[in-house]
Amino acid sequence: MGSQVSWWPFLVMVAVLVLNVEFSIADGGADEDTKVHIVFLGEVEHNDPKLVTASHIKMLESVLGSKKEARESIVHSYRHGFSGFAAHLTDAQAKTLSEHPDVVRMSQDTYFKPQTTRAMDYLGLSQSLPKGLLNDAKMGEDVIIGVLDSGVWPESLSFRDEGLGPIPARWKGQCVDGPEWDSKKHCNKKLIGARYYTESFFKYNKTDSRISEYEYVSAREGSAHGSHTASTAAGSFVANVSDNGLGVGKARGAAPRARIAMYKVCWQKSGEPACSVADITKAMDDAVADGVDVISISLGRPNPVQTEVEDYNEIAYGAFYAVSKGITVVTAGGNFGPHSNTVQNIAPWIITVAASGLDRWHPTPVTLGNGVTLLARTQHTSGEIQGDLVFIYSPQDLSPGLDGKVVLAFSSKEHQPDAFTSHFLYGGLTEAKALILVMPNDDTMPDTQAERPVVSVDFELGTTIYNYMKNTRSPTVKISNAREITGPIVSTRIAKFSGRGPNSVNPYVLKPDIAAPGIGIVAAATPNRMNGASGYMAQSGTSMAAPIIAGIAALLRSVHPDWSPTAIKSAIITTGTKTDPYGEPIFAEGLSRKLADPFDFGGGLVRPDKAADPGLVYDANMEDYKRFLCASSYNEAQINRLTRTQSKCSSPRPSLLELNLPSITLPFLKEDVTVTRTVTNVGPVNSNFKLILESPLGVHVTVSPKKLHFNSTHKKLSFNVTFHTTHKANTMYYFGSLTWADHRRHVNVTIPLSVRTQMLMNFDNSS
């Protein structure tokens, strides 16, 4: 769902909101008379892609009047996963075309926006270990990861190809030339593909672009989001990098020898990032045809109520086809937490990732005149600052004597952080030395490298500073450079910004699926975003967590080439952990801190080595997903558009609980409910598992059978789970878990249980 902090210069706190995954309606296409429309025609009827495109031109010609106008109007021809096209059309032309008998669906183009050294070792993906997933998978050498993002900076050391073998023969993609991009020079055995999609941003004559002047009209990026995500997924080893001296270490991706194909679908438009639906659709179509194994998408929208079959939910559409072709699709869960129902990208066939911290923190010491030192947020590294402390109530509080002072301010509903920081940097506080901003915990607080830093503390520490000021005649403060703290002393937490469940569209499907580090991830940057000479920077967000899971999926694909995307997803979820690598519980940041639950992190924090040997998987195929769509009460026309088939739902429709998910979520438990799940043995042929059950509070859970015995004949086994509530009133969600344990092999296969008692009442309006 997105980019995150540190992508744009920290000018005002509004940047934090801008860089979260947002959604805006298209402003009208190439000019004010036309808009880009996406036309879906159903299944591809020709094996020859050229014939498919010719049919699209012919259809447009029937509306526009000439072949020349049709060719100028068309933006994209979709001819691999399905038949369709995007074209510049007036409202009248679009209406006429929508009435064509071959048109299945038409929608106006809209925009998505992007959702960002130590993380891999923290997860146990260590190069120094002779055994383990990283080395067993040969670091992902023959796996291809397609990244849909804002482009890439090919000169970054993260994209060197030293030591890599030939490009996999199955690769059918392209490295497309463009301004500041030479395919012969900038693509190699690491960065094997680079496409870019501009058609939705240009007029017919390719002039008068709506793209920012700071952009490159090629696969090269002007920001640092795409380079960061690509290098996080599969960047090569680069020694001695840091973000301005912080986070020093060896940078590399989760699958450091995997190949990268960049699909640039995001552009700076009027100063903000925007990613056209038409371009995303085309890029996913191309990625499938090109031969990628994993697709990583750190994009999304702030509206979490898009159904899987909704017209504008092209990520779900493209992902369904990709998964049907054996490609794992990983997406960011979005940055609109910590409120409930904010998780994005909720289709059950994709992996949706939450963002956690890791065992590293870079606090800025703030020492009061009485010797008390507090730890503030913001990675200040521009030298020690000392000064007298003054307090202001509002951003417009221009009391005399602020020159050279350190200002303390409390953020509130009326006075938001962005207002204070903007006033500090550009308004009436420009002569102050520094700003200490008191605000709720916020993991997206940007770092600032300016000589006049903004540091933040929570209300508890802010009150400590304020009380010191009230009781001191001449209060002073010293702000030091940020320090690095690592190890078990730094507790792991789910980031405040990370999108939370329950799933607002289909509460029977648990989202997010899994958590990975997404706070302060150091990875490749671009020259205009390099905080130091090394060319690397720290970013935070679910955008940074998603490519870690994409890289892990690539490693799993390497060691288990016969696993389906759903099996890979199951292995990642069922081996997640509720504790950090040191055995300490994982917390969730929000309005207040609490223990993390499945709505915060799904199956928990990812454990790559455990996922390589999960014991059992909860598998599903595309027919299972079609049945789920029927159970969701979507109409058959919508379902057929998504699945690109002509099938009918059974009568009566199946239950939403039938989908073989690696979780069980019951949002409306009143009477007893029995759920069936099926597990497939992917361990030794003869394996035995025993049940370990943790029931949600106030819910009686029974499982039958309580033991599973696998052999050469019985590779798949089903079990029933019955839920009975003892609550007499409506409740919140309570959580538990169901584990199948093979104690001999130390294998635990765990799924989350989420149950809410709902005593729905029938009101008689006749009385």
Side-chain angles (χ1 to χ4, degrees):
M1 293 167 132
S3 172
Q4 291 51 28
V5 282
S6 305
W7 191 25
W8 305 108
F10 177 43
L11 302 179
V12 293
M13 278 294 294
V14 169
V16 176
L17 300 177
V18 169
L19 290 178
N20 279 313
V21 188
E22 296 179 348
F23 169 69
S24 59
I25 297 297
D27 62 4
D31 59 40
E32 61 183 10
D33 296 323
T34 66
K35 304 177 183 70
V36 174
H37 289 77
I38 306 171
V39 181
F40 294 85
L41 303 174
E43 294 185 77
V44 176
E45 297 181 354
H46 306 283
N47 292 327
D48 187 345
K50 292 182 180 179
L51 291 178
V52 178
T53 298
S55 69
H56 299 162
I57 297 293
K58 186 175 181 179
M59 180 177 288
L60 276 171
E61 183 182 352
S62 69
V63 175
L64 302 180
S66 73
K67 184 172 293 187
K68 179 177 181 296
E69 288 187 56
R71 291 187 181 279
E72 289 179 343
S73 172
I74 198 165
V75 172
H76 294 302
S77 177
Y78 309 124
R79 54 194 191 180
H80 301 294
F82 64 98
S83 178
F85 57 86
H88 293 286
L89 300 168
T90 64
D91 291 341
Q93 291 167 343
K95 185 178 186 302
T96 300
L97 188 59
S98 69
E99 296 170 352
H100 192 286
D102 292 340
V103 172
V104 175
R105 176 169 65 95
M106 177 184 290
S107 62
Q108 184 179 322
D109 193 17
T110 55
Y111 294 93
F112 283 77
K113 292 192 176 181
Q115 298 277 319
T116 154
T117 48
R118 185 177 172 88
M120 307 313 167
D121 288 333
Y122 169 77
L123 295 176
L125 289 174
S126 177
Q127 183 189 18
S128 62
L129 297 176
K131 294 183 179 180
L133 176 60
L134 187 66
N135 287 299
D136 290 346
K138 299 180 180 178
M139 304 187 190
E141 181 166 351
D142 291 328
V143 183
I144 303 169
I145 302 176
V147 180
L148 273 65
D149 215 294
S150 57
V152 64
W153 194 261
E155 289 84 3
S156 172
L157 297 179
S158 288
F159 307 119
R160 293 180 302 178
D161 65 354
E162 283 86 345
L164 288 178
I167 295 172
R170 67 183 183 282
W171 173 246
K172 299 180 178 63
Q174 300 178 23
C175 185
V176 181
D177 288 323
E180 303 296 325
W181 190 282
D182 182 341
S183 59
K184 296 180 180 178
K185 176 181 178 182
H186 294 130
C187 279
N188 54 27
K189 291 182 288 185
K190 162 62 74 173
L191 185 59
I192 65 174
R195 296 179 184 262
Y196 63 100
Y197 303 84
T198 62
E199 289 83 349
S200 296
F201 292 91
F202 282 100
K203 279 190 173 182
Y204 306 143
N205 58 7
K206 306 300 183 187
T207 62
D208 191 23
S209 168
R210 295 179 289 146
I211 297 175
S212 166
E213 62 179 316
Y214 302 105
E215 266 286 12
Y216 298 91
V217 189
S218 65
R220 184 180 295 276
E221 75 168 334
S223 64
H225 194 266
S227 297
H228 201 283
T229 58
S231 60
T232 299
S236 300
F237 289 92
V238 184
N240 196 32
V241 304
S242 70
D243 180 341
N244 236 44
L246 298 176
V248 178
K250 181 183 289 186
R252 49 98 167 185
R257 295 179 71 84
R259 317 308 172 103
I260 298 169
M262 173 58 68
Y263 298 84
K264 183 176 179 179
V265 296
C266 299
W267 305 83
Q268 293 184 52
K269 170 180 165 287
S270 303
E272 296 184 9
C275 320
S276 158
V277 162
D279 294 344
I280 293 170
T281 303
K282 178 61 175 174
M284 294 188 77
D285 195 43
D286 285 342
V288 173
D290 289 347
V292 305
D293 301 299
V294 178
I295 295 177
S296 180
I297 309 177
S298 291
L299 313 174
R301 294 169 166 151
N303 178 8
V305 294
Q306 283 187 305
T307 68
E308 297 91 344
V309 298
E310 194 163 330
D311 285 354
Y312 295 123
N313 198 352
E314 302 307 331
I315 289 179
Y317 269 81
F320 191 94
Y321 179 68
V323 170
S324 74
K325 297 298 182 182
I327 300 168
T328 299
V329 180
V330 182
T331 61
N335 300 330
F336 286 90
H339 296 291
S340 62
N341 301 99
T342 53
V343 64
Q344 304 174 359
N345 296 317
I346 48 75
W349 44 87
I350 61 180
I351 302 176
T352 306
V353 186
S356 75
L358 59 159
D359 61 344
R360 179 178 63 198
W361 183 33
H362 296 114
T364 296
V366 174
T367 303
L368 306 179
N370 60 4
V372 173
T373 297
L374 311 173
L375 297 181
R377 300 184 299 277
T378 295
Q379 297 174 13
H380 170 63
T381 60
S382 299
E384 185 178 279
I385 292 176
Q386 299 189 60
D388 296 331
L389 262 174
V390 295
F391 173 77
I392 65 170
Y393 173 73
S394 74
Q396 291 74 36
D397 189 353
L398 302 180
S399 56
L402 294 181
D403 292 2
K405 309 293 186 182
V406 176
V407 175
L408 176 72
F410 279 72
S411 171
S412 66
K413 184 176 181 180
E414 294 77 21
H415 305 133
Q416 295 299 325
D418 55 288
F420 279 110
T421 53
S422 178
H423 212 63
F424 172 69
L425 293 171
Y426 309 112
L429 305 179
T430 54
E431 300 303 319
K433 280 187 176 182
L435 172 63
I436 301 175
L437 186 58
V438 185
M439 57 183 289
N441 282 326
D442 189 346
D443 295 305
T444 60
M445 181 69 182
D447 51 0
T448 174
Q449 307 302 332
E451 293 182 0
R452 300 172 59 245
V454 177
V455 301
S456 72
V457 295
D458 62 24
F459 285 100
E460 180 182 1
L461 298 184
T463 301
T464 299
I465 300 173
Y466 182 70
N467 288 337
Y468 159 71
M469 293 178 65
K470 285 197 308 179
N471 297 302
T472 305
R473 183 183 299 274
S474 300
T476 61
V477 67
K478 177 177 69 176
I479 300 176
S480 303
N481 283 337
R483 311 292 172 83
E484 180 167 292
I485 300 175
T486 60
I489 194 174
V490 182
S491 62
T492 298
R493 64 195 189 279
I494 301 300
K496 182 180 179 181
F497 57 74
S498 189
R500 303 299 211 272
N503 184 332
S504 60
V505 173
N506 197 321
Y508 290 91
V509 177
L510 178 65
K511 290 289 178 173
D513 294 305
I514 197 69
I519 300 176
I521 305 303
V522 177
T526 56
N528 63 322
R529 293 295 296 123
M530 289 179 181
N531 288 339
S534 71
Y536 288 77
M537 64 181 293
Q539 296 199 60
S540 298
T542 55
S543 275
M544 286 66 245
I548 290 178
I549 297 297
I552 292 170
L555 298 177
L556 294 174
R557 175 65 179 264
S558 180
V559 297
H560 298 292
D562 57 329
W563 280 10
S564 69
T566 303
I568 290 174
K569 175 184 173 182
S570 173
I572 289 173
I573 293 173
T574 61
T575 56
T577 176
K578 298 177 183 177
T579 60
D580 68 14
Y582 306 101
E584 294 297 319
I586 296 174
F587 294 93
E589 297 288 359
L591 301 179
S592 62
R593 175 176 281 197
K594 66 178 182 65
L595 285 174
D597 60 48
F599 290 161
D600 301 311
F601 61 10
L605 178 67
V606 67
R607 292 192 294 179
D609 281 341
K610 293 291 186 181
D613 183 19
L616 308 173
V617 295
Y618 293 74
D619 210 349
N621 57 37
M622 306 318 290
E623 290 301 319
D624 296 322
Y625 290 125
K626 291 178 187 177
R627 287 178 58 80
F628 162 79
L629 294 169
C630 288
S632 300
S633 299
Y634 301 133
N635 66 56
E636 291 175 350
Q638 291 176 312
I639 295 171
N640 290 336
R641 286 198 299 264
L642 173 64
T643 61
R644 296 152 196 177
T645 61
Q646 296 297 321
S647 58
K648 291 185 177 295
C649 294
S650 62
S651 183
R653 293 201 178 203
S655 166
L656 282 167
L657 294 171
E658 286 188 22
L659 185 59
N660 197 40
L661 294 169
S663 62
I664 299 177
T665 304
L666 298 178
F668 311 111
L669 181 63
K670 180 180 180 181
E671 299 176 346
D672 290 6
V673 171
T674 297
V675 180
T676 300
R677 289 289 186 265
T678 301
V679 286
T680 302
N681 182 23
V682 293
V685 173
N686 295 301
S687 297
N688 299 303
F689 289 84
K690 292 183 179 180
L691 175 70
I692 300 175
L693 184 64
E694 180 186 343
S695 297
L697 180 67
V699 179
H700 183 62
V701 182
T702 57
V703 180
S704 178
K706 292 181 171 54
K707 295 181 180 180
L708 300 177
H709 305 286
F710 296 90
N711 53 39
S712 58
T713 303
H714 298 97
K715 298 179 181 179
K716 291 186 178 182
L717 293 174
S718 297
F719 59 93
N720 296 322
V721 188
T722 300
F723 296 84
H724 169 79
T725 181
T726 64
H727 295 286
K728 304 303 181 184
N730 292 342
T731 69
M732 59 189 288
Y733 277 95
Y734 291 105
F735 305 99
S737 62
L738 187 160
T739 300
W740 291 109
D742 182 344
H743 297 295
R744 293 182 306 167
R745 299 178 55 235
H746 304 288
V747 171
N748 291 318
V749 188
T750 302
I751 63 172
L753 307 177
S754 310
V755 181
R756 180 176 63 179
T757 299
Q758 284 282 354
M759 303 293 181
L760 300 178
M761 299 181 65
N762 293 320
F763 292 95
D764 186 356
N765 295 321
S766 62
S767 59

